[in-house]
Amino acid sequence: MVRTRTGRHFLQLPGPSNVPDRVLRAISRGTIDHRGPDFPALTRALIEGLRAVFRTDSAVVMYPASGTGGWEAALVNTLSPGDRVLMFETGQFALNWIHVARRFGVHVDVIETDWRRGADPALLEERLRDDRGHTFRAVALVHNETSTGAMTRIAEARRAINRAGHPALLLVDAVSSVGCMDYRHDEWGVDVTIAASQKGLMLPPGLAFLAISAKAQAASRTAALPRSYWDWNPMLASNADGFFPYTPSTNLLFGLRESLAMLEEEGLEQVFCRHARYGRAARSAVQAWGLSTQCERADEQSDVLTTVVMPQGHDADRFRGLVHDRFNMSLGTGLGKLKGRVFRIGHVGDFNDLMLAGTLAGVESGLALSGVPIRRGGVDAALRSLEQS
Ligand code: PLP
């Protein structure tokens, strides 16, 4: 096998996504004093920009962390030991969040799924209606399950909670949807939204964000889980003056200012349309190959990644290895129980039609070279889909 290292590496993971040159240049500036006079203007601009992306007028905080830190922050600021939380096991990330909650002594009721769909709003409503004593303190959902490519319809989940008349907090992992898929923290009545830097926000990994409703802020006053680093109250207090309670990731914040400017210049609606086009085009390719996506429901397909099921007897990671060596392209691996059974094509962030075409060409050729029985013509189908929209 010829290993190809020439040209630019195709980083087609569903995060970390490709970091635009503009953002890389912004990050490479000299670090400034985070307790100095120039910092408050930066902090305030970032909070304003993030509010626009989360679509919220509420508080937004930034932690030097990955998305997993965001999960922990959402839990420890709102819950107490023994609190009941309702969660859906829609995939590996939902499962990981469930594990974090349990490690803190939170009692998690899990609704299992077959990992081929999002959380079912009807089931959510039924479980909340049955909880007449309102013992669930929170409902925690993953918006875009990056291990499966299936999305949970958060607006419908909110309506289900309202129909059940349940006061539970709504915590949403939007790690792989904020900045690339339609997301509305305020309109959907979300209490805590968690996001991270390395997906739609087009930054390297290293920043986690929370948008926090007034109801969640009130909950934090009585929440008794142990917290120190993740406590959002000192963060909110320092941010009000434009500072941080501890050293922030200064250079990533420079990058964030640039990526927020890029999202604003393109316009969020346009950003969402662009990703929806990639999602449709990638699924046309999968269909043309005669393969299937892990997500079974048409109305829950993710716009930012396509998870492809390998035919029986073919190992997805061997195929990924071939694609890596032959085409200098990284595709996402199958996670948890999907290991070896699926591969994930990321089409998120700083991306265009020809990058998608190149990515799908590498996948199609890699499948053929791996001896996977496919029909050719997936790239063609994707191009036609792109031409039509
Ligand atoms: N939630 C979702 C939906 C994710 O896709 C990821 C990571 O890919 C995480 C949470 C965990 O984030 P991190 O790996 O940044 O800790």
Side-chain angles (χ1 to χ4, degrees):
M1 174 74 57
V2 185
R3 274 179 178 256
T4 307
R5 283 286 185 274
T6 52
R8 195 159 183 165
H9 181 66
F10 272 64
L11 185 70
Q12 297 319 137
L13 309 173
S17 61
N18 293 285
V19 181
D21 290 343
R22 255 176 86 171
V23 172
L24 288 173
R25 279 195 296 274
I27 290 171
S28 71
R29 274 190 51 194
T31 304
I32 61 169
D33 176 7
H34 62 284
R35 304 193 199 280
D38 295 338
F39 221 80
L42 173 64
T43 306
R44 292 196 180 108
L46 295 178
I47 290 171
E48 270 326 292
L50 286 168
R51 279 190 177 133
V53 175
F54 279 88
R55 297 209 155 140
T56 185
D57 294 327
S58 287
V60 177
V61 292
M62 302 164 249
Y63 294 99
S66 77
T68 303
W71 281 339
E72 184 163 333
L75 299 171
V76 298
N77 280 289
T78 56
L79 301 174
S80 299
D83 271 354
R84 277 183 90 196
V85 175
L86 184 58
M87 296 174 91
F88 285 71
E89 192 201 305
T90 46
Q92 189 59 42
F93 289 109
L95 187 57
N96 290 352
W97 198 10
I98 290 166
H99 290 323
V100 174
R102 285 187 168 149
R103 280 183 209 117
F104 275 101
V106 169
H107 182 93
V108 187
D109 283 36
V110 178
I111 299 180
E112 290 183 1
T113 79
D114 58 3
W115 288 30
R116 303 204 72 157
R117 64 202 66 234
D120 180 351
L123 257 181
L124 173 62
E125 182 175 344
E126 192 184 305
R127 285 296 285 269
L128 292 180
R129 277 189 193 282
D130 287 348
D131 180 32
R132 294 207 176 77
H134 292 169
T135 60
F136 285 119
R137 186 87 183 100
V139 171
L141 302 172
V142 176
H143 180 216
N144 186 58
E145 180 43 86
T146 327
S147 65
T148 65
M151 179 189 68
T152 286
R153 291 161 285 147
I154 300 297
E156 289 187 39
R158 173 79 262 172
R159 284 195 284 275
I161 297 170
N162 291 350
R163 278 195 301 274
H166 203 288
L169 294 163
L170 177 57
L171 316 180
V172 176
D173 169 338
V175 165
S176 58
S177 49
V178 160
C180 45
M181 281 166 61
D182 191 13
Y183 189 83
R184 299 156 192 260
H185 178 88
D186 285 1
E187 193 182 315
W188 296 348
V190 180
D191 292 299
V192 183
T193 297
I194 301 139
S197 52
Q198 73 271 25
K199 318 255 184 188
L201 293 171
M202 304 179 286
L203 291 158
L207 291 173
F209 310 97
L210 297 189
I212 310 164
S213 74
K215 183 173 162 187
Q217 285 186 57
S220 80
R221 290 195 263 282
T222 53
L225 282 183
R227 59 186 197 255
S228 170
Y229 185 80
W230 303 112
D231 192 342
W232 67 39
N233 290 309
M235 185 69 87
L236 289 168
S238 294
N239 283 176
D241 298 325
F243 295 105
F244 285 75
Y246 41 74
T247 314
S249 309
T250 305
N251 287 56
L252 285 180
L253 298 183
F254 293 150
L256 176 61
R257 181 166 54 189
E258 197 65 24
S259 69
L260 290 170
M262 289 177 73
L263 290 173
E264 197 190 339
E265 283 163 25
E266 185 177 357
L268 274 185
E269 293 306 328
Q270 174 56 28
V271 171
F272 301 151
C273 282
R274 187 163 55 76
H275 285 88
R277 278 179 80 241
Y278 302 148
R280 282 194 300 273
R283 290 193 294 279
S284 322
V286 175
Q287 200 182 10
W289 292 325
L291 300 179
S292 57
T293 57
Q294 175 67 14
C295 176
E296 279 184 337
R297 284 185 61 127
D299 59 347
E300 292 181 347
Q301 294 279 2
S302 170
D303 294 337
V304 302
L305 80 145
T306 302
T307 301
V308 184
V309 180
M310 269 302 217
Q312 283 283 342
H314 294 272
D315 184 88
D317 284 338
R318 277 188 58 188
F319 154 76
R320 287 178 51 255
L322 180 143
V323 167
H324 182 266
D325 290 347
R326 178 96 178 211
F327 299 118
N328 197 12
M329 173 159 76
S330 294
L331 295 168
T333 187
L335 296 172
K337 67 184 185 189
L338 297 179
K339 182 114 192 96
R341 293 173 47 199
V342 303
F343 63 92
R344 298 173 300 143
I345 307 170
H347 28 83
V348 51
D350 188 39
F351 204 62
N352 63 29
D353 289 14
L354 291 187
M355 290 165 82
L356 182 67
T359 300
L360 295 174
V363 172
E364 181 167 324
S365 194
L367 287 167
L369 288 166
S370 302
V372 179
I374 54 157
R375 292 191 299 265
R376 301 304 287 251
V379 177
D380 237 39
L383 288 175
R384 276 196 301 276
S385 165
L386 290 172
E387 285 158 15
Q388 282 157 16
S389 58

